Amino acid sequence: MTKIIHLTSSISIGGGFKFINLVREKLADFQHILVGRKGELVDEAFKLFGKNNVYILPGFFLIDAVVLRKILINLDPEIVHLHGRGAGLYGRLFIPRKYWNRTIYTIHGFNLELLPKIVKKMYLTWERLASKKTALYHFVSQSEKDTFLNYVKPKEQKLRTIYNCIDTIDNLETLRFPNYDNKNGVIRLLFIGRLSKQKGVDILIEALKIVLDEGYHMILDIYGSGKEEKHLKKITKSLGLSDRINFIGQKKFSEIKVGNYDALVVPSRFEGMPFVVLEGIASGLPIIATPARGIVDILPNNSYGYISPSFSPEDLAKTLLNFYYDKTQNLKSIRKKVLNSYSRLKKLFSCEKTLKMLYETYLEISRGEKFR
C-alpha cells in the first residue's frame, strides 16, 4: 500500500488537520501517517489514524527538522505531504534528496501581512530556495495561488489548485434552514475560529459596537481560542459589550447547535480557503463576511452572502445592518442567497471532484511522474 506522510505544524482544530483527516477518511487506498506538533486533537488523531500512524514532534524548529528526517528514513514513504507554512519550512529543511520529487506542499493560507518586514524577507528567501525540494505546490484556492505567485515563482514545479471541500446533499429542498421567521428584532451571530489577528475578530467587535450604538439588537457568540483571546476580551469590556458578546471557548463546528443562530460571521483579514464557510453554507446558514482572499473564491459577490466592501468596522457594520433588514423585513432575500451559495458549493466545492483530483495527484507522485 502506498505510504503518505502528512506533516502539519500542530495537531489542532483548523483547516490543516481537517484536510488531512478528510483525505485519510476518503482515500483509504493509501496508508496515511500523521506527523506533527502537539495540539488539542492529539488524542482524536490517535483514535482516527491509530497510534502506530501518529508521530509527535518535539516542537522546536531545527530539532523537528532532524526528527522528521529520521522518520522519513525509517518509514521511506512514497509521498510526503506538507500542510501549512510552518510544516513547509522545517519539513524541507533537512529533507533527504530522494524525497524532493515526492513532496507536495499545501500552504493552507499564504499569509504574509502580519509578518515583520525582516521575517517576511527571510521567509520568502527560504521559500524560493526550497522550491527545488518541492515536486508540487497545491493551493486550496485560486486567490491564494495568485498571491503566492506574486512573491514566489517556481520554475520547474507544477502548480495545482484543488479546492477544500465538504460533503453535500443532492436535493436542495431538503436543506435544513435556520428559523428565519423569528422577527423579534434580536439577531444572534456566530463566530467560529482561531482567535488571532488573521481572523479579524477585533474588526467584528468594533462593527458590532457601531450597530448596537445605533439602537439595533445583536448578540455574538464566539467559539475559539488563541493568542488574541485576552486582548479581544479586553476590547469587549472596554467597549461595554460584555453583555452582548460571549466567549464560549473552542468547539468544532459539528459540536455547535448552529440552528440557534441567524448567521455565521467570518471577518477574516485573509484566508487560504476557510472550511468554516463551507460548513456554514452546508448547514443552511447565511454568511456575513469580509472580502478576504479564500472567502471570495467561495462567495464572489452579494448574490451568495453578505460581503462587506472592505475590512473596516464601519463597512462591516453596514453589512450587518443589511442582514438585519433582510432578517426582519425581507426573508426571501436571505433564502435566495443561501440557495445560491449552496448551489455554488455543490458545483465547485463538493468532495467528489476534489478527492478525484487528489487521488490522481497522489498516483502521479507515487509513480515518479514529473510535473511539467
Side-chain angles (χ1 to χ4, degrees), residues 76-307:
D76 194 22
E78 285 81 6
I79 302 167
V80 180
H81 197 156
L82 312 176
H83 299 269
R85 193 168 65 198
L89 282 169
Y90 64 76
R92 292 173 293 175
L93 191 58
F94 294 139
I95 188 170
R97 190 182 186 92
K98 65 181 289 187
Y99 297 104
W100 291 6
N101 64 350
R102 305 186 197 179
T103 298
I104 304 172
Y105 177 28
T106 304
I107 302 175
H108 293 294
F110 186 66
N111 306 324
L112 302 180
E113 287 85 343
L114 300 180
L115 293 178
K117 187 176 291 186
I118 185 65
V119 175
K120 177 179 176 180
K121 186 174 181 179
M122 290 171 63
Y123 165 68
L124 290 174
T125 299
W126 166 245
E127 193 62 66
R128 295 180 188 113
L129 291 172
S131 65
K132 65 181 179 181
K133 300 183 178 184
T134 313
L136 178 69
Y137 285 94
H138 161 219
F139 302 94
V140 296
S141 68
Q142 184 60 41
S143 57
E144 178 183 65
K145 176 183 175 181
D146 293 341
T147 302
F148 181 84
L149 292 180
N150 283 335
Y151 296 96
V152 184
K153 304 185 187 315
K155 295 180 180 179
E156 300 178 1
Q157 283 70 37
K158 186 168 182 178
L159 310 174
R160 188 163 293 183
T161 303
I162 305 175
Y163 294 141
N164 284 342
C165 70
I166 193 168
D167 289 328
T168 56
I169 55 176
D170 293 327
N171 185 0
L172 290 179
E173 294 306 313
T174 65
L175 184 63
R176 294 182 181 181
F177 291 92
N179 183 16
Y180 292 169
D181 59 4
N182 178 11
K183 297 183 180 180
N184 62 7
V186 178
I187 302 297
R188 196 167 196 102
L189 303 173
L190 171 65
F191 170 87
I192 309 172
R194 187 174 66 255
L195 301 185
S196 66
K197 195 73 174 176
Q198 170 197 344
K199 298 298 183 179
V201 184
D202 56 319
I203 300 173
L204 175 56
I205 291 172
E206 291 179 29
L208 192 62
K209 172 65 174 175
I210 295 171
V211 170
L212 295 174
D213 283 350
E214 292 186 15
Y216 296 91
H217 300 290
M218 291 187 178
I219 295 173
L220 170 64
D221 286 348
I222 295 175
Y223 291 85
S225 62
K227 294 180 180 179
E228 289 281 299
E229 185 170 352
K230 287 184 179 180
H231 176 63
L232 294 171
K233 287 180 177 179
K234 185 176 180 180
I235 293 175
T236 298
K237 185 177 181 179
S238 67
L239 293 177
L241 301 180
S242 297
D243 61 336
R244 291 291 174 172
I245 298 178
N246 304 304
F247 289 85
I248 298 176
Q250 190 161 270
K251 283 190 178 182
K252 297 179 186 176
F253 193 97
S254 59
E255 296 172 340
I256 299 169
K257 294 181 179 179
V258 296
N260 294 338
Y261 295 94
D262 297 293
L264 172 70
V265 188
V266 189
S268 302
R269 290 178 165 89
F270 37 82
E271 289 282 357
M273 175 175 282
F275 273 103
V276 69
V277 174
L278 303 179
E279 291 170 318
I281 294 171
S283 69
L285 280 171
I287 310 296
I288 303 169
T290 51
R293 63 173 180 268
I295 294 177
V296 296
D297 295 77
I298 309 171
L299 304 169
N301 56 55
N302 282 296
S303 296
Y304 302 93
Y306 296 82
I307 313 302

